[in-house]
């Protein structure tokens, strides 16, 4: 019975770890998309620098979540 409980706990821990990583990825993707949409909401022409900075900020969210 103890071996079964250990396996259940291990599977639960793995599921929680995966869910957290997927949540972090989804959060970074959504916020980057929203920020990019807000950059060009008023009809300004597309510029490379603001898009690069926005994508780097979204990447920083992933790095901060992975290694706090």
């Amino acid at each position: 019975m103890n071996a079964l409980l250990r396996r259940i706990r291990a599977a639960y821990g793995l599921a929680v770890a995966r869910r957290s990583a997927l949540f972090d990825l989804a959060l970074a993707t959504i916020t980057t998309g929203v920020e990019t949409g807000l950059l060009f909401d008023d009809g300004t022409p597309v510029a490379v620098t603001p898009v690069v900075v926005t994508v780097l900020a979204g990447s920083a969210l992933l790095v901060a979540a992975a290694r706090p």
Side-chain angles (χ1 to χ4, degrees), residues 24 60-68:
D24 293 339
L61 281 173
L62 283 177
V63 171
R67 296 184 179 95

Side-chain angles (χ1 to χ4, degrees), residues 2 4 9 18 22 24 26-27 29 37-38 44 53 58-59 61 65 68:
N2 285 337
L4 178 62
R9 286 182 183 155
R18 283 186 181 166
L22 288 175
D24 293 339
L27 180 66
T29 303
L38 290 174
T44 57
V53 170
S59 300
L61 281 173

Side-chain angles (χ1 to χ4, degrees), residues 15-31:
V16 168
R18 283 186 181 166
R19 181 180 59 203
S20 177
L22 288 175
F23 177 77
D24 293 339
L25 178 64
L27 180 66
T29 303
I30 290 169
T31 55

